[in-house]
């Protein structure tokens, strides 16, 4: 149990540092800004009490907000992400074994198609909320949607690459 807790704490610290010191300064093509810290929230086990998940999401988003000077946008998007996470996972596992709801969404536990859909949906939701709160207008909705999709695709690509490169074997999580 302590190994899993330490692994999650280490993951959060590393991903937050990468987000704060690297990804916050990446502006690919002028509008694509990856949010790698989302991976830590996506990999939180559903077995953690809901109140603790909300607290972790809020603090994580708040730390990103402090360094990005976005005034609570990432905190609210992270809270929404944690709120919707069990619904997205249960939607993706409809008609399958209920034990899949408690597995950690990593390579080796889930197939690539499942991980791709799960990651893209969650990243899209997060990016949509962040972008809409930043702009706070629907004036150029379609241009904004294209920006959100581009950001989501880029962040999903980075998250899946990180997962496939750094994920330990399946037996290490048992």
């Amino acid at each position: 149990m302590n190994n899993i807790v330490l692994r999650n704490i280490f993951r959060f610290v590393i991903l937050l540092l990468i987000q704060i010191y690297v990804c916050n300064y990446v502006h690919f093509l002028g509008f694509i800004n990856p949010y790698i810290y989302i991976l830590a929230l996506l990999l939180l086990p559903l077995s953690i009490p809901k109140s603790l998940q909300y607290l972790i999401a809020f603090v994580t988003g708040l730390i990103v907000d402090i360094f990005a000077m976005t005034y609570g946008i990432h905190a609210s998007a992270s809270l929404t992400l944690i709120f919707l996470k069990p619904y997205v996972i249960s939607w993706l596992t409809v008609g399958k074994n209920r034990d899949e709801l408690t597995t950690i969404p990593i390579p080796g536990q889930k197939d690539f198609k499942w991980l791709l859909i799960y990651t893209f949906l969650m990243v899209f939701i997060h990016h949509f909320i962040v972008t809409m709160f930043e702009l706070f207008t629907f004036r150029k909705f379609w241009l904004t949607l294209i920006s959100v999709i581009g950001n989501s695709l880029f962040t999903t690509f980075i998250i899946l690459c990180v997962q496939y490169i750094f994920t330990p074997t399946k037996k290490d999580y048992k």
Side-chain angles (χ1 to χ4, degrees), residues 4-142:
I4 293 171
V5 171
L6 290 175
R7 186 178 294 159
N8 278 312
I9 291 171
F10 180 72
R11 181 183 314 137
F12 269 91
V13 169
I14 294 298
L15 289 173
L16 277 173
L17 289 174
I18 291 171
Q19 180 65 46
I20 291 167
Y21 293 111
V22 177
C23 293
N24 280 351
Y25 299 102
V26 172
H27 296 289
F28 187 65
L29 298 176
F31 69 94
I32 295 178
N33 185 7
Y35 296 119
I36 191 76
Y37 78 93
I38 300 172
L39 178 59
L41 299 174
L42 295 179
L43 295 179
L44 268 179
L46 289 176
S47 59
I48 295 175
K50 204 65 166 160
S51 58
L52 184 58
Q53 287 183 41
Y54 285 130
L55 180 65
I56 291 169
F58 178 74
V59 169
T60 303
L62 191 63
I63 290 170
V64 173
D65 282 328
I66 288 169
F67 285 94
M69 291 184 285
T70 50
Y71 311 109
I73 293 173
H74 289 277
S76 61
S78 297
L79 285 170
T80 306
L81 197 71
I82 289 298
F83 174 75
L84 294 175
K85 181 179 172 180
Y87 299 110
V88 170
I89 290 175
S90 66
W91 176 70
L92 287 172
T93 57
V94 167
K96 296 181 180 172
N97 187 357
R98 299 310 275 175
D99 291 338
E100 291 192 29
L101 291 175
T102 59
T103 59
I104 301 169
I106 57 169
Q109 300 271 345
K110 301 288 186 182
D111 64 340
F112 179 76
K113 181 182 174 185
W114 194 97
L115 282 172
L116 178 66
I117 294 169
Y118 169 71
T119 305
F120 181 77
L121 283 174
M122 298 303 282
V123 168
F124 179 81
I125 290 166
H126 180 273
H127 280 44
F128 186 78
I129 292 169
V130 167
T131 304
M132 284 298 151
F133 280 172
E134 279 179 343
L135 298 177
F136 214 69
T137 183
F138 286 104
R139 193 170 299 158
K140 295 182 179 180
F141 179 77
W142 297 110

